[in-house]
Amino acid sequence: MFHRLGHFVVKRAWWVIAAWVIGMIAIAATAPKISAQTDEASFLPKHYESIQAAELQEKAFPTSFTPSAYALFERNDGGALTEKDKADIARITQGLTDKKIDSVQQVVPVSAETTSKNGQYALSPIAIDKAKQQDSKEFGDIAKQIRDDGKALAQGTDVKFQLGGPAAQALDQQDASGSADAIIAMSTVLLVAVIVGIIFRSVLAGILPLLVSLMFAMPTANGLINYVTKAFDLDSTPVLSAILIVVVLGVGTDYFLFLAFRYRERLRAGDDRKTAVVNAVGRVGEAITSAAGAVTIAFAALVLSSLGMFKALGPGLAIAVVVTAFAALTLAPALLAVIPARAVFWPGKKWMEEPSDARFAALGKVVEKRPALVAVASGGVLVALSLGAVNYNGFFDLAGSSMPKTAESMVVQDKLTNGFSAGAADPAHVYLTGKSGAKLDPAAFESYAAELGKVEGVAAAPAEPKVSKDGVTADFAVVFKDSPESNAAIDAVTDLRDVAHAKAPAGTEAKVGGKSAILKDINLAMTHDYQLVFPVAGLLILLILGLQLRSVVAPWYLMASVGLGFTATLGAATVLFQNIKGEPGMMFMMPILIYLFVVAIGTDYNILIIARLREEAREGRSPREAAREALRHGGPTVAAAGFILAASFATFMLAGNVFMLEFGFAMAFGIVVAAFVMAMFFTPSITALLGRKAWWPGHGAMPDHGPEAIGEREPEPAGRV
């Protein structure tokens, strides 16, 4: 099939290139614009208690609001606020009200309750139309207007105006994300161009994967993602844009290398240029398709997630991989077919000489002679690294971890923690409601609040809650001792819910909401996802491997090695960031991201090596000889692809925030493990040990030798180099 595809592309190369140009421009130009969401609650299904509590709040307290932003006031010299300062603050807050900024519903004046005990800070909560929170760009634009106007009003006074809260975080995240995306994109492009150029000793070879991935695959994928997002009313997450750059360029470069190495190998074997392209597509097309299928399945499995952010991430990445693989199998061969080979590998002078590949030949001989020792050693490394995963602890401050600590919203958050009770700025809310619309008995409020106040981790619970106009619902604003994003506050939600439900007066029911409750429910949703998404993705990848290899044995140890790669990566990251660096935990989404990227992309290298192992075995070599030859010929490709992709992911560490630092290290480390431990040592050594059993039940039909063994035939020459 892939030989036929190669023939088609080579014979109609200019038509293929023209079709890509027209298709890319049409899709990119007509695609709808999609804005990312940053509101945590928007990612949770409605059956979670925190979402039900939010709906109850809107119904019972329509004029009440959870602040979307906080204006924080302090003196420029850091001293206590004077009476003159308080008068200036009142003038500033009134000035913001008089500005009538679009979608700003209320600017609450500073009061004694919103002034810190030491008199150093004053806080003005700001309400913004909740509908605007669904669009992070619009939400951030409103924050920018408030911030600019507030600072202008504060000029000429001794008071400093700073804006924090969710809206300000959305604005600062946009700025941080934009600069991070630019840094990641430029660094990745430079790395790919330089490393691929060095590998092939060629200028054009370093440019071609960039041309295919960035000029064609990326805009096409972005357009299709926007079409699908709008058509199926999916959420969009700001995390997608940065990850998409590396996925498209990294995976695209991998597939280009798979093709280019085999193309050069066929040229050295005596094929003319066009025949070499056809044979290259025919020999690696199945590996590229299977690898892309595994990655696509792993990403697409995220649609089963109960969290909107992963539902948004999964389809987008899956579409990007499909587009990139299609470009690798059509556009890249078409370009190689029309560009003279000497130009592709210029100015290298020895590209037609067969290298000794001494390093990889030596590795192959080690695996050939001592496969058991290699299997135990490589497996032992993976198991040892996996032990660190036992101490993994999730952390939920996504906003704080995805932008620099110097961002204004982060500075405000730190000052709120220092100047007020850590949980005062965003308390939990216990909504007590009479069943069947019955009115509440105020006499029970004090004792109920006292029970809530006894919960470990609670700093205060009001004895006199806010009561709805119809008297059916009461809102107890419970202040935690710790900040709402902290694990301590999130853990306290469990006990608070237990007490709130159990101690609710007869004829009433309670719902617990607020930011900490939302994060608690996100944690519960993640646990659900681990139990569903992981197994489904694993089983589907297992099926793809089985179909590609026509075996029921090899896929199992391939998946076992990839699973060990996942736990080893999580363990290494946990040791580095929690045990050595002293972080309270890693971002809560890190395990599922590691699983998907390491399992999916790491499987690429296993697929490439196992496909070469099968090819060598079908040409009549013994299992150990096949392992030796597979490493000799396939090792350079895996090493080059793994190094480039690991380096690409490492560029995330330059973004300047904790989340990208953790993500970049984990992905780079996982790819190194996948390429240089699993694919180089573990997989070939296990295959060599199992021998023909690895290919059961397909080994019975395995001929002794000849290209026909893998369903190939050498095509007629199609042109000259």
Side-chain angles (χ1 to χ4, degrees), residues 426-630:
D426 204 342
H429 293 270
V430 178
Y431 297 101
L432 191 67
T433 306
K435 294 181 179 178
S436 302
K439 290 188 176 183
L440 299 172
D441 180 7
F445 290 167
E446 185 173 353
S447 61
Y448 185 62
E451 294 293 340
L452 298 177
K454 293 177 184 177
V455 174
E456 185 175 354
V458 170
E464 297 182 4
K466 183 187 297 185
V467 180
S468 61
K469 289 182 179 180
D470 59 8
V472 174
T473 305
D475 175 9
F476 294 81
V478 178
V479 178
F480 288 124
K481 295 176 182 177
D482 301 282
S483 63
E485 301 89 355
S486 67
N487 286 354
I490 294 168
D491 291 341
V493 170
T494 301
D495 293 336
L496 180 62
R497 280 177 171 168
D498 290 343
V499 171
H501 298 159
K503 299 297 182 180
T508 67
E509 60 181 356
K511 299 286 185 186
V512 178
K515 186 167 189 176
S516 298
I518 289 171
L519 295 176
K520 177 64 181 180
D521 288 340
I522 287 177
N523 192 18
L524 294 173
M526 288 293 298
T527 301
H528 165 271
D529 290 351
Y530 292 150
Q531 296 171 349
L532 178 63
V533 176
F534 281 17
V536 168
L539 287 173
L540 291 173
I541 293 173
L542 191 71
L543 179 62
I544 287 175
L545 291 172
L547 292 173
Q548 185 215 355
L549 301 174
R550 286 80 165 175
S551 167
V552 297
V553 176
W556 287 100
Y557 64 81
L558 290 178
M559 287 304 297
S561 72
V562 174
L564 280 173
F566 160 70
T567 54
T569 301
L570 183 60
T574 299
V575 169
L576 176 61
F577 291 103
Q578 291 183 202
N579 297 40
I580 297 176
K581 197 168 180 287
E583 298 286 350
M586 290 196 301
M587 282 309 301
F588 67 94
M589 64 179 69
M590 199 59 66
I592 200 165
L593 291 176
I594 291 174
Y595 176 83
L596 290 167
F597 280 94
V598 173
V599 169
I601 297 178
T603 303
D604 282 7
Y605 308 127
N606 265 339
I607 286 175
L608 186 68
I609 285 293
I610 202 74
R612 190 70 189 230
L613 277 161
R614 187 171 70 109
E615 182 178 332
E616 297 295 339
R618 287 194 164 191
E619 290 182 356
R621 292 183 176 86
S622 70
R624 294 192 180 196
E625 290 172 343
R628 180 195 68 209
E629 291 302 307

Side-chain angles (χ1 to χ4, degrees), residues 7 18 53 61 75 116 140 145 148 199 253 261 302 310 405 423 426 506 514 517 524 590 623 651 665 699:
H7 270 296
F61 304 99
R75 283 185 58 84
S116 63
Q145 186 67 51
D148 291 345
I199 289 170
T253 302
F261 269 102
L302 286 174
F310 290 123
K405 297 296 182 185
D426 204 342
L524 294 173
M590 199 59 66
T651 61
F665 170 81
H699 65 75

Side-chain angles (χ1 to χ4, degrees), residues 3 240 351 450 456 492 560 573:
H3 263 90
L240 178 62
W351 59 274
E456 185 175 354

